[in-house]
């Protein structure tokens, strides 16, 4: 059997039903093997689009995404999605073609040192040196990508090896002596954490992307008492935003309630979160009164930024039910939280997420998110790009379920939204999938509109169009004396015409009074749709922790 | 220190102060890795990326053909070493890491010194070699080459004494180490 046919067998054995890719010289053999493989291949228009689509697929389904590219430029175009997947712990296997082995190291046509270039941004990578190694390498890649702290794995296959005839036996065991992630969680540590939580008078559950797969378990823990919950931008949806114990998102553009609660907490239970600088703000003044329980599957995250008093290494899905049981067994006095909730309710009443609405028909960006919530019934998978619209969506679209909010958090990759939405829709064909993007970021991977049209992937793209690179403009306004430098995007392109040119349906909405109905009409239009929503040009995301300031000094 | 996004101008002092918290005792870290292509690059790349300076690095085979040992010495506060070992553990090809306790560790390096030594100086050089149990492995008209093994500190001391005679060049391997007693390192 050709090595590439074995590759297809391995992909099927791993449960792969779809891959996103782009062919080229060095992966011609792989593409030939697709003929009889019975695996759906989606031809993207740029490898970066394919990489982000694989991420969107993985984030929406929880399964491993797969992206393919050829050697050289094909592989370098995948660098951004690989890095994005690393930062947000997304399980994706990237399979790249490589020049034939006798050309390696000779600056051959379309040769790039893919393994070398991607080394700092992968969970693991491997180059195939012998064709018989390919099946095992593929299974190892999937195993590494999906287990422990998930992440990207790159497999680089020289083209001559991929054509070789190899004996193929299905592989059922993967043995990696240097890779044994801790998933269980130490019972003694869990008991300590339960005690600390039972004694805490001002506790907060601080939840990150590591709890997306343990949403029910998290809710169980929180409901053991009235334990207040806040999520990072990666964790939104793990705890229902409609629940009275929800404090809102925390961090730079989080709610005052969430940030003040962190500031005054005596115990913070970090659950699959990594104390990012966007969360802690000024590190030396972060949560000064708190002790920390830190639950994470990656031991390197423990005490990386904030020293943990009670570290628990393991899978949140495994640890949370045991923590809940230990906590309930202690029978803590629920009365002890009353004073805390009195304080929290005070903040909630005084500082709701508010904005000044327009007096005419102008669409405020915050209103656009609310209108989208209404038009979708609050049940769509919202895939955002990066910038102001991302923060407004995080604030104003109230996510009640996990895997309904997909964005690029750690790397902050503009151009992520449209292709990631494509991947999410392919993975969840029965869900309403909306790409909520800015007029800047959408242009960074706009070529994927062609993929949406050709494959009739039913994504509704809503552009929050303010004609600016809004987040950069906001920073220039607030911190650089309003000296705007290269943030004005003008009135280009005409997104409606562009949508039509790409074979989608285009709409432009400018009137707040009819926006919800207009949006419903766009959502009901069959096939891919792109909507240009004109919003206030110079609106700022508030509240905000100014750079270098502690959380309690939020402004706006 | 100011946030990079703001227009506040950073002083050089602030930048230096920020880097200062990483200094402490010398650490010898022994890393067993799978003997596969590119593994050394993964390890050293990680050090560079996370901002750790390697003082010395030695790589060689072990009793097991499929395993190599990388021995790295570095300066660091305990917290930093902790981060380094945890990050190293995340590399799939890394099998085992030990931050070796100085009292329970035998550490040695090999060094070659080419020393200017003609006439009367030669006798004195040879006397110092004797004291340090260094071997003269090459003699020519105007120079000798001495081979020294020992701890980093011993080789440093030898260098200090020999330098005034005219140290032409020096090559050192960096320390390798093994734990005392029966237990495996």
């Amino acid at each position: 059997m050709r090595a590439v046919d074995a590759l297809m067998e391995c992909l099927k054995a791993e449960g792969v039903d779809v891959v996103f890719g782009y062919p080229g010289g060095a992966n011609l053999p792989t593409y030939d093997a697709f003929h009889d493989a019975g695996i759906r291949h989606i031809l993207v228009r740029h490898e970066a689009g394919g990489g982000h689509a694989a991420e969107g697929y993985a984030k929406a389904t929880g399964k491993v995404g797969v992206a393919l590219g050829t050697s050289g430029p094909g592989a370098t175009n995948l660098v951004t999605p690989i890095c994005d997947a690393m930062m947000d712990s997304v399980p994706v296997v990237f399979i790249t073609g490589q020049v034939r082995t006798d050309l390696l190291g000779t600056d051959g046509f379309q040769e790039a040192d893919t393994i070398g270039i991607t080394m700092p941004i992968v969970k693991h990578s491997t180059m195939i040196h012998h064709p018989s190694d390919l099946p095992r390498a593929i299974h190892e890649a999937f195993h590494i990508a999906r287990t422990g702290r998930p992440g990207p794995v790159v497999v680089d296959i020289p083209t001559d090896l991929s054509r070789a005839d190899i004996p193929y036996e299905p592989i059922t065991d993967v043995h990696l002596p240097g890779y044994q992630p801790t998933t269980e969680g130490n019972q003694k540590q869990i008991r300590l954490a339960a005690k600390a939580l039972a004694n805490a008078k001002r506790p907060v559950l601080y939840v990150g992307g590591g709890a997306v797969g343990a949403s029910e378990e998290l809710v169980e823990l929180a409901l053991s008492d009235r334990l207040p919950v806040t999520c990072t931008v990666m964790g939104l949806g793990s705890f229902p935003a409609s629940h009275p114990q929800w404090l809102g998102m925390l961090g730079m553009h989080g709610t005052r309630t969430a940030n003040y609660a962190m500031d005054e907490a005596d115990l913070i239970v970090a659950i699959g979160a990594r104390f990012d600088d966007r969360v802690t703000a000024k590190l030396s003044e972060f949560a000064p009164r708190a002790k920390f329980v830190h639950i994470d599957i990656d031991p390197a995250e423990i005490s990386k930024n904030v020293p943990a008093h009670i570290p628990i290494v393991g899978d949140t899905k495994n640890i949370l039910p045991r923590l809940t049981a230990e906590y309930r067994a202690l029978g803590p006095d629920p009365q002890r939280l009353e004073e805390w909730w009195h304080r929290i309710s005070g903040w909630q009443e005084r500082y709701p997420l508010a904005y000044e609405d327009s007096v005419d028909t102008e669409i405020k960006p915050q209103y656009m998110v609310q209108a989208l919530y209404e038009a979708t019934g609050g049940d769509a998978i919202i895939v955002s790009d990066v910038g102001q619209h991302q923060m407004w969506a995080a604030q104003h679209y109230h996510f009640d379920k996990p895997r309904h909010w997909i964005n690029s958090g750690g790397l902050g990759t503009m151009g992520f939204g449209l292709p990631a939405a494509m991947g999410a829709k392919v993975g969840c064909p029965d869900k309403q999938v909306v790409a909520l993007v800015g007029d800047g970021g959408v242009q960074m991977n706009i070529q994927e509109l062609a993929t949406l049209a050709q494959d009739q992937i039913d994504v509704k793209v809503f552009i929050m169009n303010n004609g600016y690179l809004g987040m950069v403009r906001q920073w220039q306004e607030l911190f650089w004396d309003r000296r705007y430098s290269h943030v004005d995007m003008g009135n280009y392109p005409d997104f409606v015409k562009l949508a039509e040119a790409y074979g989608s349906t285009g709409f432009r909405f400018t009137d707040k009074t009819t926006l919800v109905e207009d949006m419903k009409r766009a959502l009901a239009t069959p096939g891919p749709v792109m909507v240009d929503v004109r919003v206030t040009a110079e609106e700022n995301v508030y509240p905000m922790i100014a750079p270098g300031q502690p959380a309690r000094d939020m402004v706006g | 220190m100011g946030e990079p996004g703001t227009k506040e101008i950073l002083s050089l002092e602030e930048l230096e102060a920020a880097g200062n918290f990483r200094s402490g005792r010398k650490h010898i870290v022994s890393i067993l890795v799978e003997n596969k292509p590119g593994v050394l690059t993964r390890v050293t790349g990680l050090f560079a990326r996370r901002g750790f300076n390697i003082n010395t690095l030695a790589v060689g085979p072990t009793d097991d053909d499929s395993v190599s040992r990388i021995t790295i010495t570095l300066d660091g506060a305990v917290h930093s070493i902790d981060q380094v070992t945890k990050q190293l553990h995340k590399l799939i090809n890394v099998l085992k890491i030990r931050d070796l306790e100085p009292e329970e560790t035998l550490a040695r390096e090999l060094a070659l010194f080419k020393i200017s030594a003609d006439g009367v100086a030669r006798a004195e050089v040879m006397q110092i070699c004797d004291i340090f149990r260094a071997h003269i492995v090459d003699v020519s008209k105007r120079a000798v080459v001495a081979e020294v093994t020992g701890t980093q500190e011993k080789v440093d001391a030898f260098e200090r004494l020999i330098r005034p005679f005219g140290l032409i060049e020096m090559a050192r391997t960096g320390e390798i180490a093994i734990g005392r007693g029966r237990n495996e390192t």
Side-chain angles (χ1 to χ4, degrees):
Chain A
M1 183 186 286
R2 290 181 305 177
V4 284
D5 297 317
L7 166 65
M8 297 296 153
E9 292 307 313
C10 295
L11 292 179
K12 280 187 279 188
E14 290 290 348
V16 174
D17 49 13
V18 62
V19 303
F20 302 88
Y22 207 101
N27 61 5
L28 276 168
T30 308
Y31 273 79
D32 188 67
F34 273 115
H35 271 294
D36 309 311
I39 294 174
R40 183 178 177 197
H41 177 278
I42 293 175
L43 174 64
V44 295
R45 294 306 191 265
H46 188 291
E47 289 87 351
H52 292 313
E55 284 188 275
Y57 174 90
K59 285 185 172 190
T61 62
K63 296 195 278 183
V64 180
V66 182
L68 264 59
T70 189
S71 63
T76 57
N77 280 343
L78 285 171
V79 167
T80 302
I82 293 169
C83 192
D84 193 88
M86 185 67 173
M87 290 290 269
D88 285 350
S89 309
V90 192
V92 180
V93 172
F94 294 87
I95 301 172
T96 51
Q98 183 54 275
V99 299
R100 48 177 217 267
T101 45
D102 61 310
L103 281 177
L104 279 173
T106 67
D107 303 318
F109 177 64
Q110 292 197 326
E111 181 184 3
D113 176 7
T114 304
I115 297 296
I117 290 168
T118 58
M119 198 170 278
I121 53 168
V122 293
K123 183 171 176 186
H124 189 54
S125 59
T126 188
M127 187 188 213
I128 303 301
H129 293 278
H130 191 283
S132 307
D133 296 343
L134 182 61
R136 184 162 292 281
I138 295 294
H139 289 300
E140 287 177 355
F142 275 84
H143 177 69
I144 292 167
R146 88 158 65 83
T147 55
R149 180 179 182 173
V153 181
V154 172
V155 183
D156 199 28
I157 313 174
T159 184
D160 54 336
L161 304 188
S162 69
R163 284 200 320 258
D165 191 28
I166 60 165
Y168 172 68
E169 287 284 329
I171 289 168
T172 49
D173 65 310
V174 169
H175 176 65
L176 293 161
Y179 178 71
Q180 277 131 9
T182 309
T183 56
E184 280 294 309
N186 182 301
Q187 189 64 31
K188 248 166 69 183
Q189 293 293 95
I190 293 173
R191 198 165 300 144
L192 272 179
K195 263 189 202 161
L197 194 53
N199 285 322
K201 296 201 166 61
R202 299 186 308 279
V204 177
L205 306 185
Y206 150 54
V207 181
V212 163
S215 172
E216 282 169 32
E217 293 81 356
L218 169 68
V219 173
E220 275 298 301
L221 172 66
L223 298 191
S224 302
D225 255 328
R226 287 172 73 204
L227 300 173
V229 184
T230 179
C231 283
T232 69
V233 77
M234 297 310 299
L236 292 178
S238 304
F239 190 81
S242 54
H243 197 279
Q245 282 164 236
W246 173 242
L247 307 181
M249 179 176 75
L250 83 167
M252 182 172 273
H253 292 297
T255 63
R256 276 195 150 80
T257 303
N259 284 322
Y260 290 176
M262 293 289 280
D263 185 59
E264 294 192 11
D266 63 354
L267 183 82
I268 290 171
V269 184
I271 303 169
R274 61 182 176 86
F275 297 90
D276 180 75
D277 59 85
R278 259 32 185 180
V279 160
T280 62
K282 189 176 186 180
L283 192 59
S284 58
E285 293 181 40
F286 172 66
R289 301 151 186 85
K291 299 256 190 250
F292 293 93
V293 175
H294 195 173
I295 304 171
D296 205 291
I297 197 156
D298 180 359
E301 287 303 338
I302 307 284
S303 299
K304 186 182 78 179
N305 294 338
V306 172
H309 301 89
I310 306 174
I312 309 173
V313 175
D315 190 341
T316 50
K317 200 169 181 62
N318 185 309
I319 291 166
L320 290 179
R322 287 155 64 201
L323 179 57
T324 305
E326 291 282 350
Y327 178 80
R328 289 182 181 178
L330 292 169
D333 173 20
Q335 298 293 321
R336 79 191 190 288
L337 299 177
E338 234 152 70
E339 206 175 313
W340 185 221
W341 269 106
H342 182 70
R343 186 106 178 108
I344 291 171
S345 311
W347 292 322
Q348 283 174 325
E349 277 160 36
R350 222 172 322 147
Y351 308 113
L353 277 175
Y355 63 94
E356 201 177 320
D357 204 357
S358 60
V359 290
D360 48 15
T361 58
E362 183 178 282
I363 301 168
K364 287 278 182 171
Q366 300 92 331
Y367 177 73
M368 177 184 165
V369 177
Q370 288 177 332
L372 190 62
Y373 181 84
E374 214 171 303
T376 55
D379 191 40
I381 295 178
I382 302 291
V383 186
S384 90
D385 212 85
V386 167
Q388 285 186 313
H389 71 277
Q390 176 190 23
M391 291 298 108
W392 281 315
Q395 289 178 338
H396 296 280
Y397 198 102
H398 303 287
F399 297 95
D400 276 339
K401 284 181 271 181
R403 303 198 186 282
H404 280 59
W405 163 244
I406 293 170
N407 78 131
S408 165
L411 193 63
T413 307
M414 285 175 71
F416 171 88
L418 173 54
M422 176 166 86
K425 183 66 187 180
V426 169
C428 304
D430 300 331
K431 290 292 297 190
Q432 174 89 262
V433 175
V434 171
L436 175 55
V437 296
D439 52 309
V442 73
Q443 294 186 62
M444 287 198 181
N445 271 317
I446 196 130
Q447 75 286 344
E448 299 312 327
L449 283 176
T451 316
L452 293 183
Q454 189 181 10
D455 284 59
Q456 280 300 299
I457 301 166
D458 192 2
V459 171
K460 312 301 186 199
V461 183
F462 285 81
I463 302 172
M464 185 182 277
N465 188 349
N466 56 14
Y468 274 118
L469 294 172
M471 191 57 97
V472 182
R473 187 207 57 73
Q474 175 171 342
W475 280 57
Q476 288 178 348
E477 179 190 326
L478 298 177
F479 308 116
W480 297 78
D481 304 332
R482 214 188 180 96
R483 281 155 55 90
Y484 289 171
S485 180
H486 303 281
V487 289
D488 185 350
M489 302 285 277
N491 192 16
Y492 305 99
D494 182 329
F495 286 109
V496 175
K497 281 188 183 158
L498 192 71
E500 285 162 5
Y502 269 117
S504 297
T505 310
F507 293 100
R508 176 169 296 118
F509 302 148
T510 56
D511 185 342
K512 158 177 109 179
T513 56
T514 58
L515 185 60
V516 174
E517 288 314 308
D518 287 338
M519 280 180 162
K520 283 185 180 165
R521 186 159 47 92
L523 290 165
T525 305
V529 170
M530 186 159 75
V531 188
D532 179 12
V533 182
R534 298 299 175 94
V535 300
T536 312
E538 299 193 31
E539 183 80 11
N540 290 337
V541 183
Y542 288 122
M544 177 177 195
I545 306 172
Q549 300 300 311
R552 63 178 164 278
D553 296 340
M554 287 198 92
V555 294
Chain B
M1 192 165 69
E3 164 101 354
T6 68
K7 62 178 206 161
E8 182 192 341
I9 296 168
L10 295 180
S11 71
L12 285 175
E13 289 75 23
E14 277 179 308
L15 287 174
E16 278 166 17
N20 274 346
F21 66 90
R22 285 194 195 115
S23 67
R25 71 169 172 90
K26 172 186 139 188
H27 287 258
I28 303 177
V29 182
S30 164
I31 309 161
L32 292 179
V33 299
E34 288 182 87
N35 185 10
K36 285 185 178 172
V39 175
L40 179 63
T41 314
R42 282 178 208 276
V43 170
T44 53
L46 178 86
F47 274 76
R49 197 156 71 244
R50 299 275 171 189
F52 292 97
N53 270 323
I54 295 173
N55 276 348
T56 70
L57 176 143
V59 193
T62 63
D63 49 300
D64 181 344
D65 278 349
S66 63
V67 177
S68 300
R69 186 189 304 277
I70 301 175
T71 310
I72 286 175
T73 66
L74 65 157
D75 254 341
V78 172
H79 174 78
S80 313
I81 296 292
D82 186 50
Q83 256 300 305
V84 140
T85 54
K86 283 174 173 176
Q87 294 291 350
L88 280 170
H89 268 299
K90 290 169 71 166
L91 298 177
I92 310 293
N93 305 120
V94 168
L95 302 172
K96 190 176 172 190
I97 302 157
R98 285 281 305 277
D99 174 20
L100 297 171
E101 288 296 326
E103 317 79 73
E104 287 154 34
T105 303
L106 294 166
R108 294 289 183 272
E109 72 171 320
L110 169 68
L112 296 172
F113 291 87
K114 187 176 286 180
I115 308 150
S116 174
D118 42 3
V120 276
R122 177 166 297 179
E124 239 178 294
V125 166
M126 289 175 73
Q127 210 174 5
I128 293 171
C129 285
D130 229 25
I131 294 166
F132 279 84
R133 295 182 197 183
H135 301 289
I136 304 291
V137 289
D138 184 65
V139 185
S140 61
K141 215 164 180 180
R142 296 174 55 202
V144 296
V145 175
E147 172 197 312
V148 194
T149 59
T151 61
Q152 205 176 325
E153 292 72 25
K154 174 183 162 184
V155 179
D156 286 345
F158 182 77
E159 184 198 332
R160 273 197 304 277
L161 283 175
I162 221 77
R163 199 175 264 284
F165 293 95
L167 181 56
I168 300 166
E169 58 184 350
M170 171 179 83
R172 295 172 66 161
T173 59
E175 278 180 317
I176 55 166
I178 205 159
R180 292 178 188 273
R182 172 68 182 80
N183 293 341
E184 280 178 40
T185 307

